[in-house]
């Protein structure tokens, strides 16, 4: 059987859903990163140099859009990456958009870093082999590579779909509401709420940050004291899974989203603080606020945080019925392409599979529905 082209798609809340093959990705300008791959369980899977396309560049081509206009910033959106094995990695839009392009790439090549020595001097009885053998493994491409993560659990091989998700369908912006907060509620489940009103018990750290937003530009240096969000979560015994998203909200409806992975695994997590901004430096007194020193843009900072909601991302199973063109396959719409691309498996005839293989890639075809019609069945089975 002829192997179909391996493709992956970018779909969801975008103006331009796109379907790309590995050959397509090779035509983009690449970034290179080294990844020493160790999982949170201590399992070592090799050290590789990856070359690929920054995910940030691909999202710019697809043009992320929102479903509502009361909160126009994209800082509250999510990016869900899926692979052929049914796995998924949950990212925030901000960790892709507000970092350096090479921090998050879709890799199209992988080169193992072979050590120059055999390590017999420090590993006896061939004990070094367990560290050499992973270097010979076949990496399945394209691969999501997150260079800033300490553990490699969120890096994903054999990527098939990247979906941009708008978590908020209706606007929640409020006018003429005082932007000040003296307490924060952390809601980590239907039955648990933790109240933060005193940062000292979590240990205070000096914060120095450059406040430069995409909209209003540079607004000076911020010097303050605050508690790392990681330390707060540890003290309160809040252990979110990697499929969780943190939603920071202010009384006026301003909000931003961080993924649990970037807080717990990424180097950015060390720079996410809750600080009591008392109005020093000519700024308004906003009380308890969230500051992210690792972001290159301050658009995800939230003044006067009064609520942090931890949401577990779980997409509902859906069945899509897709029209393949009104009379001709050349009349296929972008929406149809998008939904073909984001589907995990497909039901279609052999003719449709052949005509649209460039969009379907090697997604599993469950069956040919025409063979359930007596006329076709008898023709195939006389």
């Amino acid at each position: 059987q002829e192997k179909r082209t391996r493709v992956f798609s970018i779909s969801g809340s975008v103006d331009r859903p796109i379907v790309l093959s590995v050959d397509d990705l090779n035509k983009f300008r690449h970034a290179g990163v080294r990844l020493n791959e160790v999982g949170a369980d201590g399992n070592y899977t090799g050290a590789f140099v990856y070359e690929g396309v920054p995910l940030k560049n691909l999202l710019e081509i697809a043009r992320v859009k929102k479903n509502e206009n009361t909160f126009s910033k994209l800082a509250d959106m999510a990016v869900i990456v899926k692979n052929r094995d049914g796995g998924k990695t949950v990212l925030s839009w901000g960790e892709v958009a507000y970092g350096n392009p090479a921090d998050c790439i879709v890799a199209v090549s992988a080169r193992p870093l072979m050590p120059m020595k055999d390590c017999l001097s420090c590993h006896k009885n061939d004990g070094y082999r367990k560290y050499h053998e992973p270097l010979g493994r076949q990496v399945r491409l394209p691969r999501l590579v997150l260079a800033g993560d300490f553990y490699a659990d969120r890096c994903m091989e054999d990527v098939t779909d990247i979906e941009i998700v708008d978590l908020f369908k209706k606007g929640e912006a409020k006018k003429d509401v005082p932007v000040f907060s003296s307490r924060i509620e952390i809601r980590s489940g239907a039955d648990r709420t933790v109240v933060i009103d005193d940062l000292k018990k979590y240990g205070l750290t000096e914060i120095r940050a450059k406040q430069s937003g995409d909209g209003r530009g540079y607004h000076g240096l911020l010097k303050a004291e605050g508690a790392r969000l990681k330390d707060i979560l540890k003290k309160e015994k809040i252990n979110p899974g990697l499929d969780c998203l943190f939603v920071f909200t202010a009384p006026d409806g301003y909000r931003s989203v961080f993924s649990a992975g970037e807080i717990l695994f990424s180097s950015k997590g060390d720079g996410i603080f809750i600080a009591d901004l008392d109005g020093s430096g000519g700024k308004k007194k906003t009380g308890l606020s969230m500051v992210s020193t690792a972001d290159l843009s301050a658009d995800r900072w939230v003044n006067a945080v009064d609520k942090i909601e931890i949401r577990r991302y779980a997409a509902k199973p859906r069945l899509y019925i897709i029209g393949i063109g009104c009379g001709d396959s050349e009349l296929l719409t972008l929406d149809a392409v998008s939904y073909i691309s984001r589907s995990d498996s497909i039901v279609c005839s052999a003719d449709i599979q052949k005509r649209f293989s460039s969009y379907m890639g090697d997604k599993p075809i469950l069956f040919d529905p025409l063979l359930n019609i007596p006329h076709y069945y008898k023709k195939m089975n006389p």
Side-chain angles (χ1 to χ4, degrees), residues 167-339:
L167 300 171
F168 301 88
K169 303 303 181 184
K170 295 182 179 179
E172 300 176 7
K174 302 173 184 177
K175 296 181 179 180
D176 301 324
V177 174
V179 183
F180 180 83
S181 175
S182 60
R183 67 196 295 274
I184 300 174
E185 290 187 357
I186 302 180
R187 302 174 184 175
S188 58
D191 57 348
R192 188 181 182 203
T193 298
V194 174
V195 175
I196 308 298
D197 55 11
D198 181 10
L199 296 177
K200 293 181 181 179
K201 65 179 180 179
Y202 304 107
L204 296 179
T205 302
E206 181 182 2
I207 303 172
R208 298 181 65 188
K210 304 169 187 175
Q211 188 169 4
S212 179
D214 286 356
R216 298 182 180 181
Y218 182 65
H219 271 58
L221 291 172
L222 172 70
K223 295 181 180 180
E225 285 189 328
R228 281 191 176 89
L229 179 61
K230 289 170 66 171
D231 296 336
I232 295 174
L233 298 176
K234 184 177 180 180
K235 180 80 172 179
E236 298 296 342
K237 298 181 179 179
I238 299 174
N239 301 303
L242 291 182
D243 58 349
C244 288
L245 294 161
F246 284 66
V247 182
F248 297 80
T249 307
D252 63 351
Y254 194 98
R255 58 183 181 255
S256 69
V257 167
F258 286 72
S259 71
E262 69 178 309
I263 295 172
L264 301 176
F265 281 5
S266 171
S267 56
K268 290 183 178 181
D270 293 328
I272 301 173
F273 294 91
I274 301 297
D276 190 351
L277 302 184
D278 60 2
S280 59
K283 298 179 176 62
K284 290 182 179 180
K285 184 174 181 179
T286 57
L288 298 178
S289 303
M290 187 274 289
V291 175
S292 175
T293 62
D295 279 0
L296 298 179
S297 169
D299 283 36
R300 284 203 293 178
W301 295 18
V302 180
N303 290 329
V305 176
D306 64 354
K307 182 173 63 176
I308 302 174
E309 185 180 0
I310 303 175
R311 298 186 180 186
R312 173 166 277 103
Y313 177 81
K316 295 180 180 179
R318 295 181 183 275
L319 174 66
Y320 301 116
I321 300 175
I322 303 170
I324 55 166
C326 180
D328 192 288
S329 58
E330 292 185 356
L331 300 176
L332 194 71
T333 65
L334 286 176
D335 273 344
V337 172
S338 175
Y339 282 92

Side-chain angles (χ1 to χ4, degrees), residues 81 106 119 154 193 208 251 286:
V81 184
V106 178
C119 281
R154 294 200 300 163
T193 298
R208 298 181 65 188
T286 57

